[in-house]
Structure formats: C-alpha cells, structure tokens
Amino acid sequence: MNLYKDTHLFGLVMNMVQDLEMNKLSSNDVKELKLLRNECLDKKLIKKNLFIIMTGVIQTECGNGNITDFIREGEVLFVQPIRNDTQQEWLPEYKAITSCKIIQVSKEFFLNFSSIKPSYMELILQMTANKLMYVMNDSRKYDLSVEERFDFSLAELGHCLGEQVEDNSFVLPRYINKNKIASFSKTSRKYTAQRLQLLEKRGDINAVGNNILISSIGF
Amino acid sequence: MNLYKDTHLFGLVMNMVQDLEMNKLSSNDVKELKLLRNECLDKKLIKKNLFIIMTGVIQTECGNGNITDFIREGEVLFVQPIRNDTQQEWLPEYKAITSCKIIQVSKEFFLNFSSIKPSYMELILQMTANKLMYVMNDSRKYDLSVEERFDFSLAELGHCLGEQVEDNSFVLPRYINKNKIASFSKTSRKYTAQRLQLLEKRGDINAVGNNILISSIGF
C-alpha cells in the first residue's frame, strides 16, 4: 500500500493525461471510466489499458476476497495477466470500494505515443516500481506476531486511507470496516473485534461515531 | 516468485544488453558484477542502476531475514527506495544465495538510451509489472491455513527453483534448506520439520540424498 501521496508524480501524471487526451486518435484511446462501489474492473479492459485513478479507492484481491493492497487517487495501474500454477491466465481482482473516477488509456496508444515522449513510459515504470516496493514493505508484516501484524496493518490503513487530524492521528474512513481490517491484516473477524476493543481500552484508538480514530499506533 | 522462465522476454533482454554494451559511453554504464554466496547488493548501487540476473539466485528480504521473493536467471531488478513508516528511505535487502553473475546498467544511461529505443523501456516496464503480478499471486498464500500455506510455498519453491524430473516432480536445490522454507512459507522451523516429515510419510515428497524431491504437491 502506497504510504505517501506523491504530489510531484501526480502532477506529472496529470500533465501526461492532458497531453494524451489532446493527441488521441480515437475516442477509445483515452476515456473516463466510472466505477460504482463494489464494481470490479473488467479483466478484458485491464489487459488492453492502463488506468489512472482520479478519485476513489480500489482494493486488490488475490483469491477469494483476500485483500492485499489498496490503490487510491493519483496511482496508476499498469498490469497484465501472468500464468500461475494452474497454467491459466491470472490477475488479481480490482474492486472499487468507493465510487471511482478513472482515466483509461489504451496500452497500444500509450506505447506508441511514448516513442515520441519516452518520459511518459519512464513515469509509468517509476510508479509501477514504487508499487512493487510498497507491496514489499507491507510484506514485512507477515514476519510479525499476530498482535504486531494487526497493529502494523491498522497503522498502514490509517496512514494511507485515513484523514489526518493531528501529527500522528488518523480517522479511518467508514468503508474500512472490520471485515476489511481483518482481511488486510490476515486475522479473523473475531480477533479483529477483540483487538480493537483492547486498543480502545488502552486509549490507542477511539470510536468517533462510526469511525475509528487511530491516535497512537506505530508500525 | 516468477513461476515461469519467460524465454521470449529473456531473449529480448539479451539482445538489449548486447546493444547497450556496444553503445555505452563509459565503462560504468554497463558492466558485469559478481556476487558471492551470501553477499548483498549494495544499496547505493541499487539506486543508480538496474540489474539483469545472468546466473544465480537472489533472495528478497523484507525486514530482518524475512524472505518474500526469489529472483533468478533472466529476471530484471529495477527498483528505487520508498519512504516507509519511519519516513526513511527503505529498500528490501537483495542477497545472493548462490554465486551470481549480474549485468549492471546505469539507470541514467539506460533512460537516455531508451529515448532512441523506447522498446527497451517497455521491456523493463513489462518485466517489472510481471514481478508485481507474481508477488500478488504469491500473496494468495497468506489467506490459507498453515498447512495449505506451507504446501503452496513448497510447491512454488519446487516449481520456480527446482529441477524438473518429471511432469509435476521437482528436486529442490540444496541451498533451499529448512530455514529458507520456513521463512518463505511464514511458518516456524519446528513446523517446517514436522510438516516435511508428514509429507514424506504420505509419499508426497522424498529425501534424495540431501535434496528434497517434491512429487505430488499442488498449489
């Protein structure tokens, strides 16, 4: 999960989108896509296009609702299926968990256009390499104890998707419910409920209406 | 972990390396690097270069010996540090677990050269996106039971690093010892030893000298 919004990269991406939009050869080369909450990105579309998330949050599911990552505003999705163990084409499921506005750019058009503007491909490469590093950073949690893994995941969720209210305090958005916390932290729903209760008793988190305020949990 | 060797991509990478080598402007632009067993890739080098693994195997460690991936012949490493939770630059540790021969290409030279040959950057982008997908595919295991996760990881290790002896049988190389299996499968060394014993009793694996033959474990 990308812990920081890279506003510099996002600025470059916005300029690129504008340029691609102005130079598109057909309406399919660059277009806006809207996803409703709980709608998945079409796998056929994923193969042929790259995506820039303008607003909203998408969760990456690897097998049967198993949440492994979140993608949000300013991030780029450039992926292609691999052959996995069953020898079949495999891709994660990319599911909108809020309504999303996405710019869809045809890979073919993009790769052609990048031959004139190689800096665009460099940008997508840089953002893809960043995502890989953030996924690696997140995987540190699998070597931790259950408590540590839970707290690490909760801190990540707050840091990445929460609204910052103080220096190290974040309010989790409502769409990050207990099920999502359990799936992302690889703990059970029962454990999640118990741990949240304990953290609240200790004053590390607080319920603010239906939201969770995370005030003193580190990674 | 990349389950398949993509010989087509490797061919393209080999041609690229030759071309870059022929057109380098200084000896630092493209050079051969050797790593001894247990030697780590220098982080300063990682920031300034991309790497193509010619022979050998590198393990990716995310925090304190926690193995999350393996990189082998034909793969490319294009990464850069991210800021993580401690606000510091973070990169995994890339540690050779066999002696390795690697081609090191200066990122600056590569990005400049790619403005003439954009297909090279496309190739690195494609390989980086592939790696991200394989890491995602591997993360399916974190949603499994301990037994399933262990077997999934063992099958991956066999498939990726083993020598194929029959259709679905693989001999694990010796450098994949019990410690590495435990770390990669996120189980304890004790559990690993017990599970291997049980699998052997069931006839799913066999000890062949000091090597493990995996004969009937699926993902």
Side-chain angles (χ1 to χ4, degrees):
Chain A
M1 197 156 50
N2 293 24
L3 293 176
Y4 297 91
K5 286 190 186 175
D6 194 323
T7 46
H8 172 64
L9 284 183
F10 193 40
L12 294 176
V13 169
M14 285 304 96
N15 288 341
M16 179 188 81
V17 166
Q18 215 170 17
D19 195 11
L20 292 170
E21 170 67 35
M22 269 164 43
N23 288 288
K24 68 184 180 186
L25 305 172
S26 92
S27 62
N28 278 327
D29 287 342
V30 182
K31 64 186 196 187
E32 202 182 288
L33 185 71
K34 283 192 170 146
L35 289 183
L36 297 172
R37 193 166 158 260
N38 290 329
E39 201 179 342
C40 289
L41 258 179
D42 184 306
K43 297 209 168 177
K44 279 188 207 140
L45 280 186
I46 295 178
K47 287 189 206 172
K48 295 202 167 172
N49 299 278
L50 65 96
F51 305 90
I52 297 129
I53 319 304
M54 304 299 286
T55 58
V57 177
I58 290 175
Q59 75 187 19
T60 308
E61 293 179 9
C62 295
N64 211 14
N66 168 34
I67 304 172
T68 50
D69 192 41
F70 293 93
I71 305 171
R72 61 180 167 163
E73 183 189 312
E75 290 189 47
V76 155
L77 189 66
F78 179 98
V79 293
Q80 60 214 343
I82 50 166
R83 268 195 309 152
N84 80 351
D85 40 287
T86 58
Q87 298 261 353
Q88 285 167 337
E89 276 193 350
W90 183 85
L91 266 180
E93 199 76 69
Y94 293 98
K95 188 187 196 178
I97 55 170
T98 67
S99 61
C100 290
K101 208 175 89 181
I102 297 170
I103 303 290
Q104 165 189 325
V105 180
S106 144
K107 281 182 186 169
E108 194 183 352
F109 168 68
F110 175 77
L111 295 172
N112 277 333
F113 196 75
S114 296
S115 58
I116 321 168
K117 294 270 181 79
S119 64
Y120 291 166
M121 195 146 38
E122 188 183 332
L123 183 61
I124 303 300
L125 172 58
Q126 203 179 336
M127 293 179 92
T128 305
N130 270 354
K131 172 56 81 183
L132 179 61
M133 283 302 96
Y134 276 115
V135 170
M136 288 293 182
N137 180 57
D138 174 59
S139 75
R140 288 161 54 208
K141 72 184 179 198
Y142 299 117
D143 205 39
L144 303 177
S145 70
V146 183
E147 294 81 16
E148 289 171 324
R149 185 170 73 240
F150 184 87
D151 293 359
F152 184 100
S153 305
L154 192 63
E156 271 192 292
L157 288 169
H159 201 291
C160 173
L161 301 174
E163 194 192 328
Q164 188 161 11
V165 285
E166 266 176 70
D167 222 22
N168 206 23
S169 292
F170 298 88
V171 177
L172 273 188
R174 284 195 196 176
Y175 57 80
I176 299 299
N177 55 28
K178 285 178 191 160
N179 284 352
K180 291 201 191 299
I181 297 172
S183 179
F184 185 65
S185 64
K186 305 291 170 263
T187 60
S188 66
R189 277 180 278 185
K190 192 176 162 195
Y191 180 86
T192 294
Q194 285 171 344
R195 183 74 187 164
L196 287 175
Q197 242 173 359
L198 181 77
L199 291 173
E200 185 155 18
K201 216 180 260 174
R202 292 206 319 217
D204 293 337
I205 66 168
N206 288 89
V208 183
N210 278 326
N211 297 69
I212 295 172
L213 168 72
I214 302 169
S215 42
S216 62
I217 294 180
F219 286 82
Chain B
M1 197 155 50
N2 294 23
L3 293 175
Y4 297 90
K5 286 190 185 175
D6 193 323
T7 46
H8 172 66
L9 284 183
F10 194 41
L12 294 176
V13 169
M14 286 304 96
N15 288 341
M16 179 187 81
V17 165
Q18 216 170 16
D19 195 9
L20 292 171
E21 171 67 36
M22 268 165 44
N23 288 288
K24 68 183 179 185
L25 305 173
S26 92
S27 62
N28 277 326
D29 287 342
V30 182
K31 63 186 198 188
E32 201 182 288
L33 183 73
K34 282 193 170 144
L35 289 184
L36 298 173
R37 194 168 158 260
N38 290 329
E39 202 179 342
C40 288
L41 258 179
D42 184 307
K43 296 210 168 179
K44 278 187 206 140
L45 280 186
I46 296 179
K47 287 189 209 174
K48 294 201 168 172
N49 299 278
L50 65 97
F51 304 90
I52 297 128
I53 318 304
M54 304 299 287
T55 59
V57 178
I58 289 176
Q59 73 187 19
T60 307
E61 295 179 7
C62 295
N64 212 15
N66 168 35
I67 304 173
T68 50
D69 193 41
F70 292 92
I71 305 171
R72 62 180 166 163
E73 184 188 312
E75 290 190 48
V76 154
L77 188 66
F78 179 99
V79 293
Q80 58 214 343
I82 50 164
R83 269 193 309 151
N84 80 351
D85 40 286
T86 58
Q87 298 261 350
Q88 285 166 338
E89 277 193 350
W90 183 85
L91 267 180
E93 199 78 68
Y94 292 98
K95 189 187 195 177
I97 55 172
T98 67
S99 61
C100 290
K101 207 176 90 181
I102 297 170
I103 304 289
Q104 165 189 323
V105 180
S106 146
K107 280 183 187 170
E108 195 183 351
F109 168 67
F110 175 77
L111 295 173
N112 277 333
F113 196 76
S114 296
S115 58
I116 321 167
K117 294 270 181 80
S119 64
Y120 291 167
M121 195 144 40
E122 188 183 333
L123 183 60
I124 302 300
L125 171 58
Q126 203 179 338
M127 294 178 91
T128 304
N130 270 355
K131 173 55 83 184
L132 179 60
M133 283 302 96
Y134 276 115
V135 170
M136 288 293 181
N137 180 57
D138 173 61
S139 75
R140 287 160 54 207
K141 73 184 178 197
Y142 298 117
D143 205 39
L144 303 177
S145 70
V146 184
E147 295 80 17
E148 289 172 322
R149 185 169 73 239
F150 184 88
D151 293 358
F152 184 101
S153 305
L154 192 64
E156 272 191 291
L157 288 168
H159 201 289
C160 174
L161 302 174
E163 195 193 330
Q164 190 162 10
V165 286
E166 267 176 68
D167 222 22
N168 206 23
S169 291
F170 299 88
V171 177
L172 273 188
R174 284 197 197 177
Y175 57 79
I176 299 298
N177 55 29
K178 285 178 192 160
N179 284 352
K180 291 200 192 299
I181 297 172
S183 180
F184 184 65
S185 64
K186 306 292 170 264
T187 60
S188 66
R189 275 178 279 186
K190 193 176 161 196
Y191 180 85
T192 294
Q194 285 171 345
R195 183 76 187 163
L196 287 175
Q197 244 173 358
L198 180 77
L199 291 173
E200 185 155 18
K201 216 179 264 174
R202 294 207 315 218
D204 294 335
I205 65 170
N206 288 91
V208 183
N210 279 325
N211 296 69
I212 295 173
L213 167 73
I214 302 169
S215 42
S216 63
I217 294 181
F219 286 84

